[in-house]
Amino acid sequence: MIIKKQVYSADKKANPLIGILLFLISIILFLATAPIGFVFGLFHSIYKKGIIGIGEYLLKMAISIDQLGNVAMQHFLNVFWIKKSGYKFGNRDETISSALGRNNKLGTLTFLGKFIDNLLNLIDKDHSLNSIDYYIEPTPEVLDLLSWIHIIDLEVLILFDKNKGTFSLPGGGKIKGKPDATVLHWHIKEKLNIDLEIPNMEYLGIFEAQTASKKPVLIDRKTCYSANYTGIITPDPLNTEVVWLNYSDREKLSEVDKLIFDFLKESEYIH
């Protein structure tokens, strides 16, 4: 079974007056109830797990505060911590550290952003890079894709686009509200005319790298799965060719597919 994190997104534009009213109500309720809840949470954590329970409880609190800060401080952070071409702060499902890590990878931190990043690294090595959250609410800056990994004799099945002259792993874009397995099955059926066996589909990982796509996209994110299939692989002969690449062919690929090849080599799937 493939479990997806569900996120809330508004179906229509919010009424600004309603937004202000709900904000004030939430602040009042927080001030009235949070102290009691916090004290109760500390005692409950001690009772259940002792000092370990307190550590786990406070870590959850720290992450939630970090997410709140990412929204509350987004305009300040976007002006002073990153360049105009950077990955924007402000996703309510993401921490400040995660957005900082993405800009670290993209090389879009300003002098102040680099200073903060280095300061965090002194406290916790590679803090921002290790904080990148791949399960955040989708944004226009992230191209969310699915890929099928199929390996035979230490070589990976790759699609060559005859029109663009590019190599890529077979797959396609995610579809909101649809399971990964179902959507990937559709993409592979369309591109290769085979049926992936969904019950034995295995999750391999999520990978991110700088994109070659046009703005506003900055990052390609690929969620990868392996699976057996039925049928005969038959790509569209006019537009697509199936090729088999090994690790020595890594430079032919996009940045995100290079990372996937690195993972496959480190995991000894390919050489």
Side-chain angles (χ1 to χ4, degrees):
M1 179 183 293
I2 299 169
I3 301 174
K4 281 173 60 66
K5 178 178 178 181
Q6 300 298 316
V7 295
Y8 167 80
S9 60
D11 294 325
K12 58 184 180 180
K13 292 183 177 179
N15 183 319
L17 295 178
I18 296 296
I20 293 171
L21 180 61
L22 291 176
F23 173 77
L24 293 174
I25 291 174
S26 66
I27 291 296
I28 293 171
L29 289 175
F30 177 80
L31 293 175
T33 62
I36 298 173
F38 179 68
V39 173
F40 180 83
L42 289 176
F43 281 106
H44 185 271
S45 299
I46 293 173
Y47 176 74
K48 289 291 185 179
K49 295 185 178 181
I51 192 68
I52 294 177
I54 292 180
E56 292 175 349
Y57 177 60
L58 293 180
L59 178 60
K60 290 180 181 178
M61 291 280 293
I63 293 172
S64 296
I65 292 170
D66 203 346
Q67 289 173 321
L68 175 60
N70 192 34
V71 175
M73 297 174 61
Q74 59 182 294
H75 303 299
F76 174 86
L77 299 179
N78 287 333
V79 170
F80 294 105
W81 283 20
I82 61 173
K83 301 174 183 177
K84 290 184 178 180
S85 59
Y87 175 83
K88 298 295 186 293
F89 292 86
N91 190 319
R92 63 188 170 191
D93 199 35
E94 186 174 24
T95 64
I96 291 175
S97 296
S98 173
L100 195 64
R102 282 190 162 92
N103 282 288
N104 181 331
K105 290 179 68 175
L106 291 171
T108 50
L109 291 172
T110 63
F111 176 81
L112 180 58
K114 290 178 182 178
F115 174 79
I116 298 298
D117 190 48
N118 290 332
L119 183 62
L120 290 173
N121 287 338
L122 288 176
I123 301 171
D124 177 27
K125 186 179 179 181
D126 294 331
H127 175 82
S128 65
L129 294 176
N130 293 333
S131 298
I132 294 175
D133 185 355
Y134 297 107
Y135 293 94
I136 63 166
E137 185 175 272
T139 74
E141 295 170 310
V142 178
L143 185 60
D144 225 344
L145 303 166
L146 298 168
S147 288
W148 178 49
I149 307 295
H150 185 54
I151 301 171
I152 295 181
D153 295 332
L154 305 179
E155 293 186 323
V156 185
L157 186 152
I158 296 290
L159 299 186
F160 175 68
D161 189 316
K162 296 180 179 179
N163 300 311
K164 298 179 180 178
T166 57
F167 297 84
S168 65
L169 289 162
K174 285 195 175 192
I175 299 177
K176 186 176 181 180
K178 299 290 185 181
D180 283 358
T182 302
V183 176
L184 187 55
H185 179 275
W186 290 340
H187 286 310
I188 299 304
K189 180 70 174 178
E190 180 182 18
K191 288 180 169 64
L192 296 174
N193 197 32
I194 57 174
D195 294 296
L196 297 185
E197 296 180 358
I198 292 178
N200 66 39
M201 190 172 286
E202 181 181 351
Y203 169 82
L204 293 179
I206 300 174
F207 305 85
E208 280 190 1
Q210 192 164 8
T211 187
S213 302
K214 296 180 180 179
K215 292 184 178 180
V217 178
L218 296 174
I219 294 170
D220 289 333
R221 175 168 65 208
K222 287 194 174 185
T223 305
C224 298
Y225 298 89
S226 64
N228 295 332
Y229 68 92
T230 57
I232 299 175
I233 294 177
T234 313
D236 175 5
L238 295 178
N239 301 304
T240 309
E241 179 184 350
V242 169
V243 297
W244 296 87
L245 302 184
N246 56 39
Y247 191 72
S248 64
D249 302 305
R250 178 181 181 275
E251 293 306 315
K252 297 179 180 180
L253 303 169
S254 67
E255 293 303 314
V256 68
D257 283 351
K258 288 177 182 177
L259 290 182
I260 295 168
F261 263 51
D262 289 342
F263 165 78
L264 294 175
K265 186 176 187 299
E266 290 168 4
S267 303
E268 298 184 347
Y269 290 113
I270 61 175
H271 294 296

